[in-house]
Amino acid sequence: MLFFGGDYNPEQWPEKVWDDDVALMRQAGITMVSLGIFAWSHLEPREGEYEFGWLDRIMDRLHDGGIRVALATPTASPPPWFTLAHPSALPVNADGVRLTHGSRDTYCASAPAYRAAARRIAAALGERYAGHPALAMWHVHNEYGTDCRCDLTAEAFRTWLRDRHGDLDVLNEAWTTAFWSQRYSDWSQIMPPRATQYLPNPAQVLDFRRFLSDELLGAFTEQRDVLRSFTPDIPVTTNFVQGGWVSVDHARWAAEVDLVAVDHYPDSAGPGAEEETAFAGDLARGWGGGSWLLMETAPNLIYTPGRMHAKEPGRLTRHSLGYVARGSRGAMYFQWRQPRGGAELFHSALVPHAGADSPVFREAVGLGRALKNLATTADAAPPAARIAVAWDAPSWWALQGAGLPAADIDYLAAVRQAHRALFRAKRQTGFVFPGLESFPDSLGAYSMIVLPHLYLVSDRAAAALGDWVAAGGHLVVGYLSGIADPAGRIRLGGYPGAFRDLLGVRAVEWHPQPPETTLLLDDGTVAGRWAERVETAGAATVALYTSGVLAGAPAITRREVGAGVAWYLSTGLDDDSLERLLGTVASEAGVGPVLEGLPRDVEAVRRDDLLYLFNHGPVAASLPLPGPAVDAVTGRPLHGAVTVAGGGCLIARLSAV
Ligand code: GLA
């Protein structure tokens, strides 16, 4: 079975609407809903007094309708009574302002009162619904990521720091506290980063984000363990959210959830949305080790900066199946029914304000039918990728700091661009995680790896990459990689520190470029954003800078190392140039496109014996199949070339004939 459904908030509606909901869910082929995510004030209206009657009734009704439930613990939004009774559990921001209720996520994960209340409500739900036949999954909390800088957090931060650094001198060294007289002579002097007169200590900020990730993980595992004590066989998950503000290292968290669940919202109205969908799906698959679930996305809008964009017909289907192609165990949405009020009253839904007589609901019905027919593909092996891009949350955090050589350094944009170039070059791509213990063992699956802005790297991870190249790997190192150790201390002797010897280069100074500057390299490559004065020491020069103070100096280099090759890009290539270069490296590494001759607008994903074809353009495309097949949705036999309508998609099961 593939999961198909979304956040369902019956507590926002009179009970007479519930029967309609279940009937419409059946019509759309909904298989699971996420229930009660923000229902704490309805479940526990006063401390210790529970009202489960309404939840019993809707759980039963859903079960009668054949719909499963991912039952949430509502701890992302404590009720007003809680915050008034426990003001010390409200979060405090970096300016020392204590926030108040009236929105959501108003809690401090280090506050004992909050943690105890969260465990209590989780236990109450665990006890009550342990045997309920609709219960398919536990959905703990919602999008962990809340930041707090209060005194309770300060205490917890110090405990975490003692654990990490052991000795205060070690911390002083790691944080370079000799700079600006910040040397600590007692643990109690250390604070979470709060408002300061001038730039904060970057190592302190970085450690705080690591701490917060661990602290929030502790809040999750505590609830998970409570739930497991009632239902050892029901999977427990929480929905990961990805954003620059989120201090959660999902690659690490993945080991603690039974199923990686991800929320994803593309932010581009044009074809960028499809590229982002592919990026998010590949990254989630990497976190999940193959299997994951799209827990929330918007059915009928794309949040572009400052404006909501309604999806064109077919886009809901292509996006949803795009995640499924990349290993998702279904497609879930925020949300089932669009609310009449509340802060997110215009966020889209499967049942919009207009009601079920609407394009989005009709498309959902068709999608539900397709997903039902694809049920047998749910356990297909995830897409195999021989190319990977590196992802490292701490490098992202470090590059969000102040005092960097350029204010517009953007880690996420760099990683997305590398993935996008491979997507456009029609190569199937995965992710590797240099911060994980298992990183060296993960490398064997790949023939090519790209490191965009891998700013922090351990000696161990760098050495593993060196061994992998010598054994035949093709490595592409982007600028701002290998610069610092995991504490954020610069690796001396020239950039890119950890990879200097492997690449056979030494960069002696940086020349960050204004965004409007174009740098033309002598082989026609179009670059910008960044430049470096690079000296080669064993590497061959592939392209030279042609203008400015760096004219005639190496910009792109290549070094053969044992059976492999290590490339260095000391500048930011534009999209077309990066696509060309990564396509060339991929071919050298023996990795071809998913399908030869694909038009620009057509995306192909190979998953086991399934070939997913998505036509993101407006014009029908005729595509050659690699062999006889059947349409996995309709069962229709397919021979030779197939036509995929503009905006349409087709899933061919290749081995079935
Ligand atoms: C995330 C959250 C939802 C909602 C949507 C809005 O998915 O989990 O509660 O806020 O974003 O886009």
Side-chain angles (χ1 to χ4, degrees), residues 7 37-38 104 139 142-143 239 241 263-265 295-298 301 303 333-335 344 347:
D7 283 29
I37 293 181
F38 292 110
R104 71 185 205 192
H139 179 303
N142 189 68
E143 297 189 337
N239 48 342
V241 60
D263 295 354
H264 182 247
Y265 296 88
M295 192 56 105
E296 292 177 22
T297 190
L301 68 84
Y303 305 108
Y333 306 89
F334 179 80
Q335 53 204 318
E344 294 185 329
H347 285 300

Side-chain angles (χ1 to χ4, degrees), residues 90-157:
L90 282 165
V92 173
N93 70 16
D95 292 326
V97 176
R98 196 174 280 282
L99 308 183
T100 187
H101 62 253
S103 179
R104 71 185 205 192
D105 296 289
T106 30
Y107 64 88
C108 162
S110 302
Y114 169 73
R115 294 280 278 260
R119 283 193 305 269
R120 265 198 318 273
I121 186 82
L125 287 162
E127 188 178 8
R128 188 157 188 106
Y129 297 103
H132 199 286
L135 181 68
M137 197 181 289
W138 289 109
H139 179 303
V140 172
H141 201 88
N142 189 68
E143 297 189 337
Y144 277 103
T146 304
D147 177 304
C148 175
R149 317 277 168 117
C150 75
D151 290 345
L152 294 167
T153 304
E155 276 302 318
F157 184 36

